[in-house]
Amino acid sequence: MDKKTLSERDICTKLITPAVTKAGWDIDTQVREEVSFTRGRIIVRGKLVSRGQAKRADYILYYKPNIPLAVIEAKDNSRSVGDGMQQALEYAETLGIPFVFSSNGDGFVFHDRTGNAQPVEVNLSLDSFPSPAELWERYRTWKGLTPSAEEVVLQPYYGDTSGKDPRYYQVNAINAAVEAIAKGQQRVLLVMATGTGKTYTAFQIIWRLWKAGRKKRILFLADRNVLIDQTMVNDFRPFGGVMAKLSTRSKTIEKADGTREELALAIDGSRQIDKSYEVYLGLYQSLTGPEERQKLYKSFSPGFFDLIVIDECHRGSAADDSAWREILEYFDSATQIGLTATPKETEYTSNMAYFGQPVFSYTLKQGIRDGFLAPYKVVKVHIDRDVEGYRPEKGQLDRDGEEVEDRIYNAKDFDRTLVLDDRTRLVARKVTEFLKQSGDRFQKTIVFCVDQEHAARMRQALVNENADLVQANARYVMRITGNDKEGTDQLGNFIDPEATYPVLVTTSRLLSTGVDAQTCRLIVLDREVGSMTEFKQIVGRGTRVHEDTKKFYFTLIDFRGATNHFADPDFDGEPVQIYEPGPDDSPVPPDDVPPPSDDDDDPLPPEPGPDETIVDDFPFPPKQPGGFGENRKIYVDGVTATIVAERVEYLDENGKLVTETLRDFTKTTLKKRFASLDDFLKRWKAAERKQAVIDELEAEGLRLDPIAEEIGKDLDPFDLICHVAFDRKPLTRRERADNVKKRDVFAKYGPAARAVLDALLAKYADEGVLNLDDTNVLRIAPFTTLGTPVQLIKAFGDRQGFEQAVREMQTELYQESA
């Protein structure tokens, strides 16, 4: 066998795979080839949406389906045996895999990332590939697994008939949590960006610990009823009859066969708890309250639960005296796992002080770069009253006939203490214009407002702006807030990809966290968001990708400057602990008052941290001496508002927002790819297939169609690149075709061949076809009128003659430039 003649795939099939299987690896259960472990980043520029290439490992070897041990990178035999090592190490670091191999078919280079091997990297023959038992022993030593811990770690995932497997980062998160708990760690924190499947990850952790018999009674806690329902209907459904909801309100689910079944409830009408279940799901606020009779969790003994999972644990469990913390401390002996996208670290509250450092983190930036999360476009809109402020005229009266206090009102006041209806109508009009101009008025939209009253007014303004669609269905626009039953009853339909209505929803806080709105394409911010934690949660409402409806990105329209958080280095960085308690200290809230509630009666930290903004109405002084203070808004009519500035920002390849036109972006990207005009000309001239150059650019996320529409559709890609990137005067395709005709370069061919070349040139001028040497073009008009493909190719002698003639014609097309 001459290895030098083999392709990389042949090297794999004939040499690497046999060496691996000879070492004892089961080809069916332990060896996976060509494993794509990312999706490829989604890149959005204006109307352009494209995906980058997914990362793909040549081989991943598994000890068990849930435990990847090794990655192998293969190269053809013209390369050295270790040429794939650096690429393989990059993959292994991402995948959390300790053992790395590179091969060209002559042997292997083996790199041990555990830190326990000397030397770290060695050369192996094809016959010396390590067995599964050898690598597993190294893995056990690296992880410090006892036989008891090993038994838990080897417990498999739940596998369903749909073939759904955890994504690579979910595998890393699950294994990190299971290994930590198997070794005795009692407090575990997982930090995973919104939309990356925290609940599915939690299910697999629970399933493995439960099936291994390590954790027999489990409590899953959340702070939104919809989160519990979603979890029971979807990710936790395999628990079936051993699972119940800690609620007195029934809930039905639709099973795969279309039948409906009522979910089991663990609490009866007299608030007695059935303790025969193994997996319980409940709301914090339904298990406790300020009065002793409300502390339902005390119906269980402190040692009843072996494992407690706290979803969205940033919402209050970190506060030392919060109601949530009360439950956690009661069940102190249970292993507790905190799940969050935004670990809360303030002077007064800390998740890390309670749970410890995260055993695993996966950020928004990583999710976008891997292609699992949707990127976003930001539209910033500035309203004159927000920018310049509003000062009432002397003696200005409000709607109630009372004089408006003479001071300057700004963006912080609007819709909280002072209402300008014209401003509300302006926001609604701008949102509606966006929907109309986008060409899709049925894209699911969330409008975040200052409070429930503002959400009601915004709903009315949107109804009036979209009267035609509201006439067709009154649920086109709805308010969904905690005090609006009609709205909250429609929450399930809003998040259901199959349900058309509601389309536009207004809210204040209810939809800011936890709600799995997969098809949300537009987020509108018409309130300040001072808390980085809440801002990340709001952005997370749009980051889910929904391929079936072609939802690959979302738009965020900001009327209040909330997206200034993008400039904060903490926006997408690793969680940072900022307080400094003593060794034995716990975080202490500023006072002992019970925590306030939001629109959905959910507990919040007792006081806002330094990075939070109060969203309730500010209390005003009593209207009369001795009277009671009241929250009162001032309504001022007849005050106009206009847009003073608007700009569109794009996410660049580093995930940073940049403000530039599509043309500017295209120029910047092209100049990164081609250092100079001469560099580009050499690449273009060297490419036998000009389309290959275009394909390379598309693979990097740059399609030329949108810029062609902006500049002129009759330009060749060659001219587009020269013009946009290097300011060269472009020629149209027809001008290039005419120049070739003027030079009479087809004179050496017979009449039949010249007719074919003339037709090809005309087709290029009309359609810009670059792969003219593809003989399939001869099967369509106008070539079919000139003869059969075989006859037309014979006019050039043979196929090679035809392809050579076309390449010469392409050279002539670009002669004066190249």
Side-chain angles (χ1 to χ4, degrees):
M1 183 192 307
D2 183 1
K3 295 180 184 178
K4 300 296 183 186
T5 65
L6 298 179
S7 67
E8 180 180 303
R9 184 83 323 244
D10 288 336
I11 292 289
C12 291
T13 303
K14 298 178 183 297
L15 297 167
I16 296 177
T17 298
V20 170
T21 55
K22 183 180 179 182
W25 295 85
D26 189 303
I27 194 68
D28 295 320
T29 62
Q30 294 182 305
V31 181
R32 289 182 61 194
E33 295 189 56
E34 296 187 291
V35 184
S36 295
F37 56 90
T38 70
R39 295 296 307 278
R41 181 180 172 183
I42 299 168
I43 304 166
V44 180
R45 312 274 187 325
K47 297 179 180 179
L48 170 64
V49 181
S50 60
R51 271 195 185 272
Q53 290 183 345
K55 291 183 179 179
R56 186 174 66 182
D58 289 328
Y59 291 83
I60 297 180
L61 307 185
Y62 298 80
Y63 186 66
K64 295 289 185 181
N66 54 309
I67 303 178
L69 283 186
V71 60
I72 305 174
E73 183 61 30
K75 298 297 178 186
D76 64 47
N77 201 250
S78 68
R79 313 276 289 274
S80 69
V81 67
D83 265 11
M85 180 54 69
Q86 291 189 164
Q87 183 179 351
L89 283 170
E90 178 189 339
Y91 290 169
E93 183 175 1
T94 299
L95 295 166
I97 290 177
F99 308 119
V100 188
F101 297 85
S102 174
S103 180
N104 66 349
D106 290 337
F108 297 94
V109 174
F110 172 31
H111 184 110
D112 187 326
R113 298 179 63 242
T114 66
N116 295 327
Q118 290 297 330
V120 173
E121 203 164 275
V122 296
N123 290 320
L124 302 174
S125 69
L126 284 178
D127 293 331
S128 302
F129 195 85
S131 69
E134 290 178 72
L135 292 189
W136 175 245
E137 186 58 36
R138 291 191 185 216
Y139 185 93
R140 284 184 60 221
T141 302
W142 175 46
K143 292 292 186 178
L145 299 178
T146 64
S148 174
E150 180 182 6
E151 183 181 346
V152 177
V153 168
L154 290 177
Q155 183 64 42
Y157 295 123
Y158 172 80
D160 61 18
T161 55
S162 69
K164 178 181 180 180
D165 292 318
R167 296 168 177 171
Y168 84 85
Y169 63 85
Q170 293 170 337
V171 170
N172 292 349
I174 296 163
N175 287 342
V178 170
E179 287 170 5
I181 293 169
K183 292 190 290 186
Q185 187 168 323
Q186 284 291 89
R187 302 290 181 266
V188 174
L189 181 63
L190 293 176
V191 179
M192 297 172 66
T194 300
T196 56
K198 291 191 297 296
T199 311
Y200 174 72
T201 301
F203 162 72
Q204 291 287 7
I205 294 169
I206 296 169
W207 181 269
R208 287 173 63 183
L209 295 171
W210 180 63
K211 279 291 187 180
R214 184 62 65 95
K215 304 298 177 185
K216 298 179 180 178
R217 290 196 181 100
I218 296 100
L219 174 62
F220 181 87
L221 290 173
D223 71 334
R224 292 277 195 266
N225 200 55
V226 66
L227 298 182
I228 296 294
D229 294 342
Q230 285 180 3
T231 299
M232 295 187 77
V233 169
N234 299 314
D235 293 323
F236 279 37
R237 180 177 288 191
F239 284 120
V242 305
M243 172 178 63
K245 181 178 180 180
L246 286 167
S247 173
T248 57
R249 291 191 296 176
S250 64
K251 174 75 178 182
T252 58
I253 59 172
E254 184 174 331
K255 298 197 299 184
D257 60 5
T259 61
R260 298 180 68 83
E261 180 180 331
E262 190 170 295
L263 289 180
L265 301 180
I267 307 177
D268 63 23
S270 58
R271 290 177 67 80
Q272 295 299 307
I273 297 178
D274 184 344
K275 298 175 185 175
S276 64
Y277 293 100
E278 297 178 57
V279 180
Y280 294 82
L281 296 91
L283 299 176
Y284 290 93
Q285 52 269 40
S286 69
L287 296 181
T288 190
E291 299 179 22
E292 190 64 24
R293 64 179 179 81
Q294 295 174 307
K295 300 184 186 301
L296 200 60
Y297 66 90
K298 290 188 177 180
S299 300
F300 296 100
S301 65
F304 184 85
F305 292 109
D306 304 309
L307 175 65
I308 299 178
V309 178
I310 306 96
D311 194 21
E312 305 291 356
C313 66
H314 62 277
R315 299 265 306 158
S317 59
D320 190 35
D321 68 346
S322 72
W324 297 13
R325 186 68 169 266
E326 179 184 355
I327 299 174
L328 300 185
E329 290 184 346
Y330 180 79
F331 297 112
D332 182 70
S333 63
T335 300
Q336 297 174 6
I337 303 174
L339 306 174
T340 183
T342 51
K344 188 159 193 156
E345 299 300 322
T346 74
E347 182 181 353
Y348 304 111
T349 64
S350 171
N351 292 92
M352 289 185 206
Y354 185 80
F355 290 103
Q357 290 292 326
V359 298
F360 178 78
S361 294
Y362 187 73
T363 66
L364 173 65
K365 180 182 290 185
Q366 289 173 293
I368 291 176
R369 287 185 172 180
D370 286 345
F372 295 118
L373 295 182
Y376 43 86
K377 182 167 62 174
V378 177
V379 180
K380 292 188 176 182
V381 182
H382 302 282
I383 296 174
D384 59 349
R385 297 299 176 186
D386 297 352
V387 175
E388 302 163 7
Y390 163 68
R391 182 175 182 181
E393 298 177 1
K394 186 176 178 60
Q396 174 79 52
L397 301 180
D398 67 13
R399 192 177 293 170
D400 295 331
E402 298 190 17
E403 187 170 340
V404 181
E405 180 187 353
D406 183 13
R407 68 177 180 88
I408 296 177
Y409 296 85
N410 55 34
K412 292 184 178 180
D413 297 300
F414 296 137
D415 298 299
R416 181 179 293 118
T417 61
L418 183 82
V419 174
L420 303 178
D421 275 339
D422 195 63
R423 187 194 176 285
T424 306
R425 288 190 290 268
L426 178 63
V427 171
R429 185 161 62 250
K430 197 68 188 174
V431 171
T432 304
E433 285 176 9
F434 175 88
L435 293 169
K436 289 179 177 178
Q437 292 174 10
S438 72
D440 180 10
R441 294 175 69 188
F442 282 87
Q443 53 187 297
K444 295 292 180 83
T445 300
I446 304 174
V447 183
F448 287 99
C449 302
V450 168
D451 56 20
Q452 296 181 359
E453 185 275 342
H454 181 207
R457 285 187 291 104
M458 184 61 70
R459 176 203 157 276
Q460 182 178 359
L462 287 167
V463 164
N464 290 331
E465 291 293 333
N466 296 275
D468 55 336
L469 296 182
V470 173
Q471 180 69 27
N473 191 308
R475 290 184 298 139
Y476 178 77
V477 184
M478 295 197 75
R479 180 181 73 155
I480 300 181
T481 55
N483 68 341
D484 190 328
K485 184 180 185 304
E486 288 74 18
T488 54
D489 285 348
Q490 290 297 319
L491 179 56
N493 286 326
F494 179 71
I495 64 179
D496 183 356
E498 302 297 325
T500 302
Y501 300 100
V503 180
L504 313 182
V505 302
T506 66
T507 189
S508 54
R509 295 180 66 91
L510 184 58
L511 300 182
S512 65
T513 181
V515 177
D516 189 10
Q518 301 175 53
T519 56
C520 177
R521 298 173 184 264
L522 179 61
I523 293 174
V524 179
L525 287 174
D526 196 28
R527 70 170 171 89
E528 289 188 311
V529 185
S531 161
M532 178 67 76
T533 296
E534 186 176 17
F535 182 70
K536 287 184 177 182
Q537 290 290 328
I538 288 174
V539 170
R541 297 313 101 215
T543 53
R544 287 168 173 81
V545 176
H546 196 260
E547 307 241 1
D548 291 347
T549 58
K550 298 192 180 297
K551 188 246 172 166
F552 295 106
Y553 71 97
F554 70 100
T555 302
L556 195 156
I557 302 180
D558 179 19
F559 290 92
R560 301 274 183 154
T563 51
N564 291 336
H565 282 299
F566 288 134
D568 190 322
D570 288 336
F571 172 67
D572 204 16
E574 292 293 322
V576 177
Q577 192 163 9
I578 63 171
Y579 71 105
E580 298 180 1
D584 300 319
D585 293 340
S586 295
V588 179
D591 54 48
D592 295 327
V593 299
S597 298
D598 63 12
D599 290 345
D600 200 26
D601 295 323
D602 299 324
L604 297 173
E607 289 288 336
D611 61 342
E612 294 183 52
T613 298
I614 298 173
V615 296
D616 292 333
D617 299 343
F618 287 111
F620 276 75
K623 293 182 67 174
Q624 298 176 353
F628 293 100
E630 62 175 354
N631 295 340
R632 176 177 175 273
K633 293 188 181 184
I634 304 168
Y635 295 82
V636 181
D637 298 324
V639 180
T640 61
T642 58
I643 302 295
V644 294
E646 182 177 357
R647 68 177 184 266
V648 178
E649 297 182 332
Y650 298 93
L651 280 174
D652 67 11
E653 68 274 11
N654 297 314
K656 300 295 184 183
L657 280 169
V658 293
T659 305
E660 60 184 354
T661 64
L662 179 60
R663 181 166 180 158
D664 289 336
F665 169 79
T666 305
K667 181 173 184 177
T668 302
T669 305
L670 286 170
K671 295 197 82 168
K672 286 180 182 177
R673 181 70 176 77
F674 306 109
S676 64
L677 175 62
D678 186 56
D679 184 30
F680 168 66
L681 293 177
K682 286 180 180 177
R683 175 69 186 95
W684 187 266
K685 186 176 181 180
E688 284 194 7
R689 289 183 64 254
K690 309 306 180 187
Q691 185 64 39
V693 180
I694 310 306
D695 291 342
E696 289 172 11
L697 293 174
E698 289 194 7
E700 295 174 12
L702 180 64
R703 287 183 55 212
L704 296 178
D705 294 348
I707 194 68
E709 290 184 15
E710 186 174 306
I711 294 175
K713 290 185 178 180
D714 60 343
L715 292 185
D716 185 288
F718 175 90
D719 286 281
L720 275 173
I721 294 171
C722 289
H723 178 57
V724 172
F726 306 108
D727 300 318
R728 288 283 296 265
K729 181 181 178 181
L731 295 177
T732 66
R733 293 194 299 269
R734 189 156 301 282
E735 287 172 333
R736 289 198 173 277
D738 288 345
N739 287 343
V740 172
K741 289 181 179 179
K742 290 174 184 176
R743 291 196 289 272
D744 196 22
V745 297
F746 302 153
K748 63 181 179 179
Y749 296 103
R754 284 201 303 272
V756 172
L757 293 173
D758 281 337
L760 283 171
L761 205 56
K763 195 164 191 63
Y764 162 81
D766 292 336
E767 302 176 22
V769 179
L770 290 180
N771 55 337
L772 296 173
D773 56 348
D774 184 350
T775 56
N776 285 324
V777 75
L778 303 178
R779 301 179 184 277
I780 60 177
F783 302 98
T784 50
T785 63
L786 303 176
T788 67
V790 173
Q791 292 171 331
L792 298 181
I793 289 174
K794 281 186 177 180
F796 297 89
D798 55 21
R799 184 191 184 100
Q800 186 176 356
F802 168 74
E803 292 174 349
Q804 179 62 31
V806 174
R807 283 194 288 272
E808 288 176 1
M809 185 182 75
Q810 287 185 319
T811 299
E812 290 293 333
L813 279 170
Y814 306 110
Q815 185 185 59
E816 71 279 1
S817 297

